[in-house]
Amino acid sequence: MKRFPFKAIIQAILASVVVSIYFLVVAKLDHKDIPLLSIILHPNMVRGLLYGFFLFLGHGYLSKWVSDKYPSSKEFGKKMIAFYSISFILTILVVFIVNAFFSGLFTPTGSKGFLQRFNHFINQQRLAYYFQLAIISWCISMIFFGFYFYKRFKDYQIKESEQEKQQITAQFESLKNQLDPHFLFNSLNVLNGLIEEDPKKASLFTTDLSRIYRYVLEHKNKSLVSLQEELTFSKAYLNLLSLRFEAGIQIDLHIHEDEISGFILPLSLQLLIENVVKHNVISLKSPLILKIYRKNDYLYVENNLQKKKGLNSNAGIGLKNIQERYALLSDRPVYIQGSADLFSVGLPIIAEIVA
């Protein structure tokens, strides 16, 4: 439940007093022979109070809306154009409504109908008066909201700087987790054995291994890659796993041609696959079943759970890294679900890269 905006109302009252003082000074200069008390009690003073109150309150909400609409420090120009354009319309509207109220437009009198009262009211209005108040409103807005915009501008600069720092940190963590040294060590051992046992398989293994490291070097600094690229890379990685574990791992890559659109984090799929291999027992007797499929704009990696005993304290770092990197690029969370015999992670598929 939203709190009642006491602070905004108090600020609006103070602003209305400032506007009323302006009207008081102008009226006194124009009518020096009229007592000050008579000017203070004049209906125009109440009108000035209402102008100030509603204009300040409206501009307060307008400034928040514009700041939320254009949060980036790079959009400061757009923010100013939007604020002062809408401010002009808001001022005209508020002045029009307050004037209409004081003119008796909404109060039936005598035999005059609403249209007659409206025409009479319109004829009494002066365009120069509205422009004068709009300029005054702009000047007051610069004083009252200039500091607010400047503060929000600096806050967003700091926030963007922090996000950039987090992204660099996340990229560093990603590079550390992209290819586990144990994976490289084990891959070289497998390759060494295959050279003696099956030279043809060894050649295929070497080709896939080179593709993996080429992909890492080409995509390590990108924020997003196409799902098609990531799947192509992951197939090479899955081939290595098949050669290494043979029947000990069963892979079901269930992605149709019409499901390869969109973008995901580079190497995120490989990291999830590597986590599955790292944290589960793989054997011919108890094969690891790995499924990869797309559902509701998420790319899922699912496996039967057969945890290794004595996992080190770094378990889960890769998954946390993926979550942090996604948090910088999308509002959609990484989906994680586990049960006694099944574990599943869903990566949000981003529809397009926003420049």
Side-chain angles (χ1 to χ4, degrees), residues 59 99 109 246 304 351:
H59 280 81
N99 285 355
T109 55
E246 297 182 333
N304 58 324

Tab-separated table of all heavy atoms in Angstrom, residues 59 99 109 246 304 351:
chain	number	residue	atom	x	y	z
A	59	HIS	N	4.280	18.899	-11.365
A	59	HIS	CA	5.662	18.851	-11.843
A	59	HIS	C	6.495	17.837	-11.052
A	59	HIS	O	7.443	17.258	-11.582
A	59	HIS	CB	6.312	20.234	-11.773
A	59	HIS	CG	5.932	21.130	-12.907
A	59	HIS	ND1	4.750	21.827	-12.922
A	59	HIS	CD2	6.559	21.414	-14.076
A	59	HIS	CE1	4.679	22.521	-14.049
A	59	HIS	NE2	5.754	22.286	-14.765
A	99	ASN	N	-8.755	28.919	-13.598
A	99	ASN	CA	-9.473	30.104	-14.080
A	99	ASN	C	-10.941	29.798	-14.345
A	99	ASN	O	-11.826	30.606	-14.055
A	99	ASN	CB	-8.821	30.629	-15.355
A	99	ASN	CG	-7.522	31.363	-15.073
A	99	ASN	OD1	-7.145	31.557	-13.926
A	99	ASN	ND2	-6.820	31.765	-16.130
A	109	THR	N	-25.629	29.680	-13.286
A	109	THR	CA	-26.150	30.967	-12.815
A	109	THR	C	-27.154	31.506	-13.821
A	109	THR	O	-26.873	31.578	-15.020
A	109	THR	CB	-25.018	31.996	-12.654
A	109	THR	OG1	-24.301	32.111	-13.882
A	109	THR	CG2	-24.063	31.590	-11.541
A	246	GLU	N	31.625	-42.099	-23.560
A	246	GLU	CA	30.953	-43.114	-24.382
A	246	GLU	C	29.526	-43.361	-23.882
A	246	GLU	O	28.753	-42.423	-23.767
A	246	GLU	CB	31.798	-44.390	-24.397
A	246	GLU	CG	33.167	-44.160	-25.033
A	246	GLU	CD	34.005	-45.414	-25.092
A	246	GLU	OE1	33.815	-46.308	-24.239
A	246	GLU	OE2	34.866	-45.502	-25.999
A	304	ASN	N	19.332	-36.212	-14.879
A	304	ASN	CA	19.021	-37.037	-13.719
A	304	ASN	C	20.092	-36.790	-12.652
A	304	ASN	O	21.269	-36.615	-12.964
A	304	ASN	CB	18.957	-38.511	-14.105
A	304	ASN	CG	20.253	-39.000	-14.717
A	304	ASN	OD1	20.923	-38.257	-15.438
A	304	ASN	ND2	20.620	-40.253	-14.433
A	351	ALA	N	14.963	-11.932	-26.917
A	351	ALA	CA	14.425	-11.860	-28.279
A	351	ALA	C	15.344	-11.118	-29.230
A	351	ALA	O	15.544	-11.540	-30.366
A	351	ALA	CB	13.041	-11.211	-28.262
